[in-house]
Amino acid sequence: LVQNYPNPFNPITKIKYSIPKSSQVSLKIFNTLGEEIETLVNEEKPVGTYELNWNAANLPSGVYFYRLLAGSFVQTRKMILLR
């Protein structure tokens, strides 16, 4: 899971991740209270590198977290939406 770019962002950012072996992949966005904001990916993915754009135009400025679950791998990173 690569740090989003740009960070801080307004209102679109890129999130990139790589999967070393085929597995069920989940990529979710959370606010600072731990509430799930959006699910970006929730499916079986083959080996590869993936990049997606997240549009936060309808959300207020603040800190958000994105978490990747792929098989037994879990990683969370922080991003900042700055209006």
Side-chain angles (χ1 to χ4, degrees):
L1 183 61
V2 179
Q3 183 65 50
N4 67 302
Y5 180 82
N7 191 29
F9 68 98
N10 178 27
I12 298 173
T13 188
K14 290 184 187 297
I15 298 174
K16 188 174 180 180
Y17 63 96
S18 296
I19 305 298
K21 63 180 184 178
S22 293
S23 57
Q24 179 67 28
V25 175
S26 170
L27 181 60
K28 296 183 177 186
I29 309 292
F30 297 89
N31 64 17
T32 54
L33 299 176
E35 298 168 332
E36 184 179 319
I37 301 298
E38 190 173 344
T39 298
L40 302 178
V41 178
N42 188 21
E43 62 187 350
E44 186 78 19
K45 289 280 194 184
V47 174
T49 299
Y50 300 89
E51 182 176 286
L52 52 90
N53 290 324
W54 181 54
N55 188 337
N58 60 338
L59 295 171
S61 294
V63 175
Y64 294 88
F65 297 91
Y66 55 109
R67 184 177 68 198
L68 177 71
L69 298 160
S72 61
F73 177 83
V74 179
Q75 187 172 25
T76 303
R77 291 194 181 263
K78 180 171 72 172
M79 59 185 162
I80 300 169
L81 172 59
L82 192 59
R83 301 248 180 229

